[in-house]
Amino acid sequence: MPALPSHDVADLSAAPLGKARIEWAERSMPVLRAIRGRFEAEKPLEGHTVAACLHVTTETANLMRTLRAGGADVTLVASNPLSTQDDTAAALVSEYGISTYAIRGEDNETYYGHIDAALDLQPTITMDDGCDLVNRLHTQRPEQAAQVLAGTEETTTGVIRLRAMERANALRYPIIAVNDTPTKHLFDNRYGTGQSTLDGIIRATNLLLAGRTVVVAGFGYCGRGVASRAKGLGADVVVTEINPIRGLEAAMEGYRVMTMEEAAPQGDVFITVTGNTSILRQEHFEAMKDGAVICNSGHFDVEIDIASLEKIADDRREVRPNAEEFVLTDGRRIVLLASGRLVNLGAAEGHPASVMDMSFADQSLAAQWLARNHEGLEARVYDLAVDLDAEVARLKLESMGKTIDSLTAEQEHYLASYDIGT
Ligand SMILES: NC(=O)c1ccc[n+]([C@@H]2O[C@H](COP(=O)([O-])OP(=O)(O)OC[C@H]3O[C@@H](n4cnc5c(N)ncnc54)[C@H](O)[C@@H]3O)[C@@H](O)[C@H]2O)c1
């Protein structure tokens, strides 16, 4: 048996189950499969070491296989302490020989220890989800930044942090904001987060959502998906926003729009998905109904002010896996799901594979593009090239057996002219 790659995972004996689940996800990832086939032949990532800090799920495992097929030396670490699927991590190590450092429920020290382990391998490309790896590299190991050629970022929160670094002249190498590409955020953030967030809530609580009031904080790409799926299940959906355009859009979509102060006494289930901090606070907990369920699907566990909930609670206990009940002094109970971390990854399995197919096709093509083109780039945040994005959408449509029209010569001429009017 070949020697195992370097790793720190919970239990290698879970590998067969992980492998079966990785193969199951692969069935719904036709675009990534096609890219993997091409990578196997062309080896566009040969000579590169990729440090990937992503949610350790079956879909991510298929991305790692694709990068390795492209010739890269790959290490995967968790981008969230609670999102790791331990069987997937085990399979990556013992079935696929991919160096992996991730244990579900790891403490902060282990989490950063794992990121350090990936950085110890001197990556030439970083692949991040939330910017923790890039931040660690820039703040704790600035001397190492010079040997990183380029990177990619998967999520909204990570891109916000990177743009802040760019503005402060603190970014040391170019990074592609994969999140900002339409085939990522229009599908992953909306349909992926929409379905999987409700999946997480239902798995954690087994609540019937029909007839209940669901409060969605934030009507961005993720919030739109969450609100529409909750409405589809028969919930009375309330949206809170700070952006007037998005608040107006939510109102036009038929949702009740109000402040969190107004929503707090009305909601049965609260979902934060803003990418911002302290959305649910003490004054809101104090106004909530007995049995209110609160959870977060934004990137970091800062959207619910858990410290203030702990402060006003007399007692707390786990009522179901991933559901912790806080009992307030007057006897009211508030149920926090997945410790306030991403509920779709903590209490369910994250996005379905067919949506990650596109996000990870974008990641693979971004890595290939960077391997070829990094030399001409500055230390800035870049968008993925439009033609790569269109290619991913085309391959996805093809895999769904759908075709679209092409412009006729007359239409092309019409769209390019300015003298044809009434
Ligand atoms: N759960 C997942 O799997 C998953 C997937 C993709 C993105 N994300 C994360 O979800 C978060 C949202 O991402 P997005 O793409 O929807 O971002 P977005 O910027 O499109 O939307 C965020 C919305 O929240 C609103 N907002 C900000 N502060 C608010 C406040 N105090 N009250 C109410 N609304 C407020 C903003 O106005 C905006 O409309 C980010 O942290 C992102 O990284 C999670």
Side-chain angles (χ1 to χ4, degrees), residues 155-157 189 193 220-222 241 246 275-276 297 299 344 351:
T155 199
T156 314
T157 287
N189 297 27
T193 313
Y221 290 104
C222 295
E241 251 298 341
R246 293 203 163 162
N276 199 347
S297 213
H299 189 78
N344 61 333
H351 297 167

Side-chain angles (χ1 to χ4, degrees), residues 169-416:
N169 278 328
L171 192 61
R172 294 282 163 260
Y173 57 87
I175 299 198
I176 290 189
V178 170
N179 177 76
D180 291 358
T181 198
T183 47
K184 199 285 183 178
H185 67 255
L186 286 180
F187 298 89
D188 168 321
N189 297 27
R190 186 160 49 167
Y191 303 111
T193 313
Q195 176 170 315
S196 60
T197 297
L198 293 175
D199 184 16
I201 295 169
I202 292 167
R203 288 197 207 192
T205 63
N206 199 25
L207 277 183
L208 178 73
L209 291 178
R212 286 206 158 84
T213 299
V214 172
V215 180
V216 180
F219 199 66
Y221 290 104
C222 295
R224 290 184 186 104
V226 172
S228 95
R229 272 30 185 174
K231 187 177 178 181
L233 286 169
D236 161 33
V237 179
V238 169
V239 169
T240 72
E241 251 298 341
I242 45 121
N243 177 324
I245 299 169
R246 293 203 163 162
L248 181 61
E249 186 190 349
M252 297 279 185
E253 283 289 323
Y255 302 113
R256 293 198 287 140
V257 177
M258 61 185 78
T259 63
M260 188 56 85
E261 187 186 349
E262 280 177 273
Q266 300 186 36
D268 296 303
V269 177
F270 294 80
I271 306 164
T272 56
V273 67
T274 68
N276 199 347
T277 191
S278 304
I279 304 301
L280 288 177
R281 304 182 294 271
Q282 181 167 338
E283 64 263 35
H284 304 130
F285 305 135
E286 281 168 348
M288 283 180 188
K289 294 183 200 170
D290 178 33
V293 171
I294 58 176
C295 64
N296 167 52
S297 213
H299 189 78
F300 286 119
D301 61 343
V302 295
E303 303 210 17
I304 301 175
D305 180 5
I306 298 172
S308 78
L309 182 59
E310 285 169 341
K311 201 175 78 193
I312 60 172
D314 282 345
D315 197 13
R316 60 197 279 184
R317 66 186 180 112
E318 189 172 330
V319 281
R320 286 169 61 92
N322 296 312
E324 193 179 9
E325 182 171 273
F326 290 76
V327 184
L328 309 193
T329 324
D330 62 5
R332 273 178 311 120
R333 295 159 297 181
I334 293 178
V335 182
L336 172 69
L337 306 186
S339 311
R341 296 193 185 276
L342 297 158
V343 70
N344 61 333
L345 282 141
E349 293 172 65
H351 297 167
S354 66
V355 87
M356 294 316 292
D357 188 27
M358 284 191 285
S359 306
F360 286 164
D362 288 332
Q363 284 281 10
S364 308
L365 296 182
Q368 175 182 21
W369 189 88
L370 286 171
R372 279 193 194 138
N373 300 295
H374 64 85
E375 267 170 13
L377 303 178
E378 294 163 28
R380 279 184 27 220
V381 181
Y382 285 86
D383 286 335
L384 188 68
V386 176
D387 55 335
L388 296 182
D389 198 34
E391 173 69 0
V392 169
R394 195 187 58 73
L395 285 171
K396 189 70 177 177
L397 272 174
E398 214 172 86
S399 76
M400 294 163 83
K402 299 187 194 303
T403 39
I404 58 168
D405 283 323
S406 307
L407 287 174
T408 62
E410 183 197 0
Q411 289 166 346
E412 264 187 59
H413 174 69
Y414 179 79
L415 291 177

Side-chain angles (χ1 to χ4, degrees), residues 50-67:
V50 178
C53 179
L54 302 167
H55 299 297
V56 180
T57 64
T58 54
E59 294 78 21
T60 306
N62 282 305
L63 170 62
M64 296 300 109
R65 293 171 67 197
T66 305
L67 299 175

